[in-house]
PDB file of all heavy atoms in Angstrom:
ATOM      1  N   THR D1434     -18.160   2.833   1.254  1.00  0.00           N
ATOM      2  CA  THR D1434     -17.451   3.422   0.119  1.00  0.00           C
ATOM      3  C   THR D1434     -16.952   2.278  -0.740  1.00  0.00           C
ATOM      4  O   THR D1434     -16.304   1.351  -0.247  1.00  0.00           O
ATOM      5  CB  THR D1434     -16.237   4.240   0.624  1.00  0.00           C
ATOM      6  OG1 THR D1434     -16.705   5.173   1.594  1.00  0.00           O
ATOM      7  CG2 THR D1434     -15.554   4.978  -0.513  1.00  0.00           C
ATOM      8  N   LEU D1435     -17.280   2.361  -2.023  1.00  0.00           N
ATOM      9  CA  LEU D1435     -16.830   1.330  -2.961  1.00  0.00           C
ATOM     10  C   LEU D1435     -15.631   1.889  -3.731  1.00  0.00           C
ATOM     11  O   LEU D1435     -15.684   2.992  -4.259  1.00  0.00           O
ATOM     12  CB  LEU D1435     -17.967   0.984  -3.924  1.00  0.00           C
ATOM     13  CG  LEU D1435     -17.715  -0.203  -4.848  1.00  0.00           C
ATOM     14  CD1 LEU D1435     -17.757  -1.505  -4.061  1.00  0.00           C
ATOM     15  CD2 LEU D1435     -18.760  -0.243  -5.958  1.00  0.00           C
ATOM     16  N   ILE D1436     -14.554   1.103  -3.747  1.00  0.00           N
ATOM     17  CA  ILE D1436     -13.347   1.525  -4.469  1.00  0.00           C
ATOM     18  C   ILE D1436     -13.241   0.690  -5.729  1.00  0.00           C
ATOM     19  O   ILE D1436     -13.213  -0.536  -5.672  1.00  0.00           O
ATOM     20  CB  ILE D1436     -12.082   1.316  -3.598  1.00  0.00           C
ATOM     21  CG1 ILE D1436     -12.219   2.079  -2.277  1.00  0.00           C
ATOM     22  CG2 ILE D1436     -10.836   1.761  -4.352  1.00  0.00           C
ATOM     23  CD1 ILE D1436     -11.055   1.855  -1.317  1.00  0.00           C
ATOM     24  N   THR D1437     -13.220   1.372  -6.871  1.00  0.00           N
ATOM     25  CA  THR D1437     -13.042   0.635  -8.128  1.00  0.00           C
ATOM     26  C   THR D1437     -11.825   1.178  -8.869  1.00  0.00           C
ATOM     27  O   THR D1437     -11.402   2.302  -8.649  1.00  0.00           O
ATOM     28  CB  THR D1437     -14.268   0.776  -9.065  1.00  0.00           C
ATOM     29  OG1 THR D1437     -14.424   2.153  -9.435  1.00  0.00           O
ATOM     30  CG2 THR D1437     -15.523   0.249  -8.430  1.00  0.00           C
ATOM     31  N   THR D1438     -11.278   0.321  -9.728  1.00  0.00           N
ATOM     32  CA  THR D1438     -10.128   0.750 -10.528  1.00  0.00           C
ATOM     33  C   THR D1438     -10.259   0.185 -11.940  1.00  0.00           C
ATOM     34  O   THR D1438     -11.201  -0.549 -12.238  1.00  0.00           O
ATOM     35  CB  THR D1438      -8.801   0.309  -9.872  1.00  0.00           C
ATOM     36  OG1 THR D1438      -7.720   0.934 -10.560  1.00  0.00           O
ATOM     37  CG2 THR D1438      -8.613  -1.199  -9.920  1.00  0.00           C
ATOM     38  N   SER D1439      -9.302   0.536 -12.776  1.00  0.00           N
ATOM     39  CA  SER D1439      -9.328   0.063 -14.154  1.00  0.00           C
ATOM     40  C   SER D1439      -9.105  -1.457 -14.183  1.00  0.00           C
ATOM     41  O   SER D1439      -8.174  -1.965 -13.553  1.00  0.00           O
ATOM     42  CB  SER D1439      -8.236   0.773 -14.942  1.00  0.00           C
ATOM     43  OG  SER D1439      -7.609  -0.118 -15.835  1.00  0.00           O
ATOM     44  N   LYS D1440      -9.962  -2.149 -14.924  1.00  0.00           N
ATOM     45  CA  LYS D1440      -9.875  -3.603 -15.008  1.00  0.00           C
ATOM     46  C   LYS D1440      -8.544  -4.018 -15.629  1.00  0.00           C
ATOM     47  O   LYS D1440      -7.894  -4.958 -15.165  1.00  0.00           O
ATOM     48  CB  LYS D1440     -11.032  -4.120 -15.868  1.00  0.00           C
ATOM     49  CG  LYS D1440     -11.389  -5.542 -15.617  1.00  0.00           C
ATOM     50  CD  LYS D1440     -12.676  -5.904 -16.323  1.00  0.00           C
ATOM     51  CE  LYS D1440     -13.684  -6.426 -15.338  1.00  0.00           C
ATOM     52  NZ  LYS D1440     -15.001  -6.625 -15.911  1.00  0.00           N
ATOM     53  N   THR D1441      -8.126  -3.302 -16.656  1.00  0.00           N
ATOM     54  CA  THR D1441      -6.870  -3.643 -17.338  1.00  0.00           C
ATOM     55  C   THR D1441      -5.703  -3.570 -16.375  1.00  0.00           C
ATOM     56  O   THR D1441      -4.876  -4.477 -16.296  1.00  0.00           O
ATOM     57  CB  THR D1441      -6.613  -2.643 -18.497  1.00  0.00           C
ATOM     58  OG1 THR D1441      -7.817  -2.496 -19.208  1.00  0.00           O
ATOM     59  CG2 THR D1441      -5.501  -3.110 -19.394  1.00  0.00           C
ATOM     60  N   LEU D1442      -5.648  -2.478 -15.606  1.00  0.00           N
ATOM     61  CA  LEU D1442      -4.530  -2.291 -14.681  1.00  0.00           C
ATOM     62  C   LEU D1442      -4.473  -3.432 -13.663  1.00  0.00           C
ATOM     63  O   LEU D1442      -3.449  -4.083 -13.487  1.00  0.00           O
ATOM     64  CB  LEU D1442      -4.664  -0.940 -13.969  1.00  0.00           C
ATOM     65  CG  LEU D1442      -3.598  -0.600 -12.945  1.00  0.00           C
ATOM     66  CD1 LEU D1442      -3.129   0.845 -13.124  1.00  0.00           C
ATOM     67  CD2 LEU D1442      -4.095  -0.764 -11.511  1.00  0.00           C
ATOM     68  N   VAL D1443      -5.622  -3.719 -13.041  1.00  0.00           N
ATOM     69  CA  VAL D1443      -5.621  -4.719 -11.977  1.00  0.00           C
ATOM     70  C   VAL D1443      -5.416  -6.128 -12.544  1.00  0.00           C
ATOM     71  O   VAL D1443      -4.692  -6.932 -11.964  1.00  0.00           O
ATOM     72  CB  VAL D1443      -6.873  -4.580 -11.080  1.00  0.00           C
ATOM     73  CG1 VAL D1443      -8.089  -5.208 -11.684  1.00  0.00           C
ATOM     74  CG2 VAL D1443      -6.643  -5.161  -9.716  1.00  0.00           C
ATOM     75  N   HIS D1444      -5.971  -6.404 -13.708  1.00  0.00           N
ATOM     76  CA  HIS D1444      -5.812  -7.748 -14.274  1.00  0.00           C
ATOM     77  C   HIS D1444      -4.366  -8.029 -14.642  1.00  0.00           C
ATOM     78  O   HIS D1444      -3.887  -9.142 -14.477  1.00  0.00           O
ATOM     79  CB  HIS D1444      -6.720  -7.938 -15.484  1.00  0.00           C
ATOM     80  CG  HIS D1444      -8.131  -8.201 -15.083  1.00  0.00           C
ATOM     81  ND1 HIS D1444      -9.039  -8.848 -15.872  1.00  0.00           N
ATOM     82  CD2 HIS D1444      -8.792  -7.877 -13.941  1.00  0.00           C
ATOM     83  CE1 HIS D1444     -10.200  -8.925 -15.232  1.00  0.00           C
ATOM     84  NE2 HIS D1444     -10.072  -8.333 -14.066  1.00  0.00           N
ATOM     85  N   ASN D1445      -3.675  -7.021 -15.154  1.00  0.00           N
ATOM     86  CA  ASN D1445      -2.264  -7.232 -15.490  1.00  0.00           C
ATOM     87  C   ASN D1445      -1.429  -7.484 -14.241  1.00  0.00           C
ATOM     88  O   ASN D1445      -0.521  -8.312 -14.253  1.00  0.00           O
ATOM     89  CB  ASN D1445      -1.718  -6.053 -16.288  1.00  0.00           C
ATOM     90  CG  ASN D1445      -2.166  -6.130 -17.734  1.00  0.00           C
ATOM     91  OD1 ASN D1445      -2.407  -7.219 -18.259  1.00  0.00           O
ATOM     92  ND2 ASN D1445      -2.306  -4.988 -18.369  1.00  0.00           N
ATOM     93  N   ILE D1446      -1.741  -6.794 -13.168  1.00  0.00           N
ATOM     94  CA  ILE D1446      -1.009  -7.035 -11.915  1.00  0.00           C
ATOM     95  C   ILE D1446      -1.302  -8.458 -11.433  1.00  0.00           C
ATOM     96  O   ILE D1446      -0.404  -9.215 -11.084  1.00  0.00           O
ATOM     97  CB  ILE D1446      -1.398  -6.012 -10.822  1.00  0.00           C
ATOM     98  CG1 ILE D1446      -1.067  -4.582 -11.275  1.00  0.00           C
ATOM     99  CG2 ILE D1446      -0.678  -6.325  -9.505  1.00  0.00           C
ATOM    100  CD1 ILE D1446      -1.519  -3.508 -10.322  1.00  0.00           C
ATOM    101  N   LEU D1447      -2.576  -8.818 -11.440  1.00  0.00           N
ATOM    102  CA  LEU D1447      -2.955 -10.155 -10.960  1.00  0.00           C
ATOM    103  C   LEU D1447      -2.317 -11.247 -11.818  1.00  0.00           C
ATOM    104  O   LEU D1447      -1.882 -12.271 -11.311  1.00  0.00           O
ATOM    105  CB  LEU D1447      -4.474 -10.315 -10.960  1.00  0.00           C
ATOM    106  CG  LEU D1447      -5.260  -9.381 -10.038  1.00  0.00           C
ATOM    107  CD1 LEU D1447      -6.737  -9.689 -10.105  1.00  0.00           C
ATOM    108  CD2 LEU D1447      -4.778  -9.466  -8.603  1.00  0.00           C
ATOM    109  N   ARG D1448      -2.258 -10.995 -13.104  1.00  0.00           N
ATOM    110  CA  ARG D1448      -1.646 -11.983 -14.005  1.00  0.00           C
ATOM    111  C   ARG D1448      -0.178 -12.207 -13.625  1.00  0.00           C
ATOM    112  O   ARG D1448       0.291 -13.339 -13.571  1.00  0.00           O
ATOM    113  CB  ARG D1448      -1.777 -11.483 -15.443  1.00  0.00           C
ATOM    114  CG  ARG D1448      -1.043 -12.327 -16.423  1.00  0.00           C
ATOM    115  CD  ARG D1448      -1.831 -12.543 -17.677  1.00  0.00           C
ATOM    116  NE  ARG D1448      -3.028 -13.333 -17.439  1.00  0.00           N
ATOM    117  CZ  ARG D1448      -4.081 -13.377 -18.246  1.00  0.00           C
ATOM    118  NH1 ARG D1448      -4.089 -12.649 -19.327  1.00  0.00           N
ATOM    119  NH2 ARG D1448      -5.120 -14.132 -17.964  1.00  0.00           N
ATOM    120  N   CYS D1449       0.537 -11.114 -13.350  1.00  0.00           N
ATOM    121  CA  CYS D1449       1.961 -11.237 -12.985  1.00  0.00           C
ATOM    122  C   CYS D1449       2.110 -12.042 -11.693  1.00  0.00           C
ATOM    123  O   CYS D1449       2.984 -12.905 -11.584  1.00  0.00           O
ATOM    124  CB  CYS D1449       2.572  -9.856 -12.749  1.00  0.00           C
ATOM    125  SG  CYS D1449       2.773  -8.921 -14.251  1.00  0.00           S
ATOM    126  N   VAL D1450       1.269 -11.750 -10.731  1.00  0.00           N
ATOM    127  CA  VAL D1450       1.367 -12.419  -9.437  1.00  0.00           C
ATOM    128  C   VAL D1450       1.075 -13.910  -9.603  1.00  0.00           C
ATOM    129  O   VAL D1450       1.760 -14.760  -9.047  1.00  0.00           O
ATOM    130  CB  VAL D1450       0.407 -11.762  -8.415  1.00  0.00           C
ATOM    131  CG1 VAL D1450       0.449 -12.494  -7.087  1.00  0.00           C
ATOM    132  CG2 VAL D1450       0.756 -10.293  -8.234  1.00  0.00           C
ATOM    133  N   GLU D1451       0.070 -14.190 -10.406  1.00  0.00           N
ATOM    134  CA  GLU D1451      -0.283 -15.590 -10.663  1.00  0.00           C
ATOM    135  C   GLU D1451       0.845 -16.321 -11.386  1.00  0.00           C
ATOM    136  O   GLU D1451       1.191 -17.444 -11.043  1.00  0.00           O
ATOM    137  CB  GLU D1451      -1.556 -15.637 -11.499  1.00  0.00           C
ATOM    138  CG  GLU D1451      -2.526 -16.652 -10.963  1.00  0.00           C
ATOM    139  CD  GLU D1451      -3.308 -17.322 -12.053  1.00  0.00           C
ATOM    140  OE1 GLU D1451      -3.092 -17.016 -13.242  1.00  0.00           O
ATOM    141  OE2 GLU D1451      -4.132 -18.173 -11.701  1.00  0.00           O
ATOM    142  N   ARG D1452       1.412 -15.654 -12.378  1.00  0.00           N
ATOM    143  CA  ARG D1452       2.517 -16.277 -13.128  1.00  0.00           C
ATOM    144  C   ARG D1452       3.741 -16.483 -12.254  1.00  0.00           C
ATOM    145  O   ARG D1452       4.578 -17.347 -12.537  1.00  0.00           O
ATOM    146  CB  ARG D1452       2.910 -15.408 -14.323  1.00  0.00           C
ATOM    147  CG  ARG D1452       1.936 -15.544 -15.445  1.00  0.00           C
ATOM    148  CD  ARG D1452       2.687 -15.580 -16.766  1.00  0.00           C
ATOM    149  NE  ARG D1452       1.755 -15.340 -17.848  1.00  0.00           N
ATOM    150  CZ  ARG D1452       2.037 -14.656 -18.928  1.00  0.00           C
ATOM    151  NH1 ARG D1452       3.237 -14.125 -19.073  1.00  0.00           N
ATOM    152  NH2 ARG D1452       1.148 -14.501 -19.858  1.00  0.00           N
ATOM    153  N   ALA D1453       3.859 -15.689 -11.221  1.00  0.00           N
ATOM    154  CA  ALA D1453       4.988 -15.877 -10.299  1.00  0.00           C
ATOM    155  C   ALA D1453       4.712 -17.053  -9.365  1.00  0.00           C
ATOM    156  O   ALA D1453       5.496 -17.334  -8.459  1.00  0.00           O
ATOM    157  CB  ALA D1453       5.236 -14.600  -9.511  1.00  0.00           C
ATOM    158  N   GLY D1454       3.582 -17.733  -9.562  1.00  0.00           N
ATOM    159  CA  GLY D1454       3.265 -18.940  -8.803  1.00  0.00           C
ATOM    160  C   GLY D1454       2.584 -18.664  -7.473  1.00  0.00           C
ATOM    161  O   GLY D1454       2.584 -19.516  -6.581  1.00  0.00           O
ATOM    162  N   LEU D1455       2.001 -17.483  -7.341  1.00  0.00           N
ATOM    163  CA  LEU D1455       1.394 -17.133  -6.056  1.00  0.00           C
ATOM    164  C   LEU D1455      -0.126 -17.102  -6.159  1.00  0.00           C
ATOM    165  O   LEU D1455      -0.682 -16.898  -7.236  1.00  0.00           O
ATOM    166  CB  LEU D1455       1.885 -15.740  -5.624  1.00  0.00           C
ATOM    167  CG  LEU D1455       3.401 -15.595  -5.476  1.00  0.00           C
ATOM    168  CD1 LEU D1455       3.777 -14.130  -5.374  1.00  0.00           C
ATOM    169  CD2 LEU D1455       3.881 -16.363  -4.245  1.00  0.00           C
ATOM    170  N   VAL D1456      -0.749 -17.293  -5.027  1.00  0.00           N
ATOM    171  CA  VAL D1456      -2.199 -17.227  -4.946  1.00  0.00           C
ATOM    172  C   VAL D1456      -2.539 -15.925  -4.222  1.00  0.00           C
ATOM    173  O   VAL D1456      -1.902 -15.593  -3.221  1.00  0.00           O
ATOM    174  CB  VAL D1456      -2.750 -18.437  -4.153  1.00  0.00           C
ATOM    175  CG1 VAL D1456      -4.248 -18.305  -3.922  1.00  0.00           C
ATOM    176  CG2 VAL D1456      -2.425 -19.727  -4.883  1.00  0.00           C
ATOM    177  N   ILE D1457      -3.508 -15.198  -4.745  1.00  0.00           N
ATOM    178  CA  ILE D1457      -3.862 -13.932  -4.090  1.00  0.00           C
ATOM    179  C   ILE D1457      -4.943 -14.193  -3.050  1.00  0.00           C
ATOM    180  O   ILE D1457      -6.011 -14.700  -3.356  1.00  0.00           O
ATOM    181  CB  ILE D1457      -4.322 -12.898  -5.132  1.00  0.00           C
ATOM    182  CG1 ILE D1457      -3.152 -12.570  -6.056  1.00  0.00           C
ATOM    183  CG2 ILE D1457      -4.819 -11.620  -4.454  1.00  0.00           C
ATOM    184  CD1 ILE D1457      -3.553 -12.091  -7.398  1.00  0.00           C
ATOM    185  N   ARG D1458      -4.588 -13.852  -1.839  1.00  0.00           N
ATOM    186  CA  ARG D1458      -5.507 -14.103  -0.743  1.00  0.00           C
ATOM    187  C   ARG D1458      -6.462 -12.928  -0.594  1.00  0.00           C
ATOM    188  O   ARG D1458      -7.618 -13.087  -0.244  1.00  0.00           O
ATOM    189  CB  ARG D1458      -4.685 -14.264   0.536  1.00  0.00           C
ATOM    190  CG  ARG D1458      -5.490 -14.525   1.771  1.00  0.00           C
ATOM    191  CD  ARG D1458      -4.534 -14.505   2.950  1.00  0.00           C
ATOM    192  NE  ARG D1458      -5.196 -14.889   4.162  1.00  0.00           N
ATOM    193  CZ  ARG D1458      -5.949 -14.079   4.860  1.00  0.00           C
ATOM    194  NH1 ARG D1458      -6.160 -12.849   4.477  1.00  0.00           N
ATOM    195  NH2 ARG D1458      -6.508 -14.506   5.977  1.00  0.00           N
ATOM    196  N   GLU D1459      -5.935 -11.751  -0.835  1.00  0.00           N
ATOM    197  CA  GLU D1459      -6.732 -10.542  -0.634  1.00  0.00           C
ATOM    198  C   GLU D1459      -6.048  -9.403  -1.357  1.00  0.00           C
ATOM    199  O   GLU D1459      -4.820  -9.408  -1.512  1.00  0.00           O
ATOM    200  CB  GLU D1459      -6.782 -10.262   0.882  1.00  0.00           C
ATOM    201  CG  GLU D1459      -7.770  -9.225   1.313  1.00  0.00           C
ATOM    202  CD  GLU D1459      -9.184  -9.506   0.839  1.00  0.00           C
ATOM    203  OE1 GLU D1459      -9.948 -10.184   1.547  1.00  0.00           O
ATOM    204  OE2 GLU D1459      -9.511  -9.023  -0.250  1.00  0.00           O
ATOM    205  N   ILE D1460      -6.827  -8.448  -1.846  1.00  0.00           N
ATOM    206  CA  ILE D1460      -6.207  -7.246  -2.395  1.00  0.00           C
ATOM    207  C   ILE D1460      -6.706  -6.028  -1.626  1.00  0.00           C
ATOM    208  O   ILE D1460      -7.853  -5.994  -1.172  1.00  0.00           O
ATOM    209  CB  ILE D1460      -6.478  -7.066  -3.915  1.00  0.00           C
ATOM    210  CG1 ILE D1460      -7.970  -6.924  -4.215  1.00  0.00           C
ATOM    211  CG2 ILE D1460      -5.882  -8.203  -4.718  1.00  0.00           C
ATOM    212  CD1 ILE D1460      -8.260  -6.585  -5.678  1.00  0.00           C
ATOM    213  N   TYR D1461      -5.827  -5.073  -1.460  1.00  0.00           N
ATOM    214  CA  TYR D1461      -6.219  -3.802  -0.837  1.00  0.00           C
ATOM    215  C   TYR D1461      -5.596  -2.660  -1.599  1.00  0.00           C
ATOM    216  O   TYR D1461      -4.469  -2.786  -2.104  1.00  0.00           O
ATOM    217  CB  TYR D1461      -5.743  -3.720   0.625  1.00  0.00           C
ATOM    218  CG  TYR D1461      -6.356  -4.756   1.520  1.00  0.00           C
ATOM    219  CD1 TYR D1461      -5.577  -5.782   2.043  1.00  0.00           C
ATOM    220  CD2 TYR D1461      -7.711  -4.722   1.826  1.00  0.00           C
ATOM    221  CE1 TYR D1461      -6.133  -6.749   2.854  1.00  0.00           C
ATOM    222  CE2 TYR D1461      -8.277  -5.701   2.629  1.00  0.00           C
ATOM    223  CZ  TYR D1461      -7.489  -6.702   3.142  1.00  0.00           C
ATOM    224  OH  TYR D1461      -8.044  -7.669   3.930  1.00  0.00           O
TER     225      TYR D1461
END
Side-chain angles (χ1 to χ4, degrees):
T1434 306
L1435 188 72
I1436 303 176
T1437 63
T1438 190
S1439 140
K1440 203 170 237 172
T1441 314
L1442 179 135
V1443 80
H1444 282 204
N1445 282 332
I1446 299 175
L1447 297 182
R1448 173 139 294 161
C1449 289
V1450 177
E1451 225 214 1
R1452 283 220 196 143
L1455 301 167
V1456 174
I1457 296 155
R1458 180 186 186 280
E1459 192 55 90
I1460 61 173
Y1461 297 111

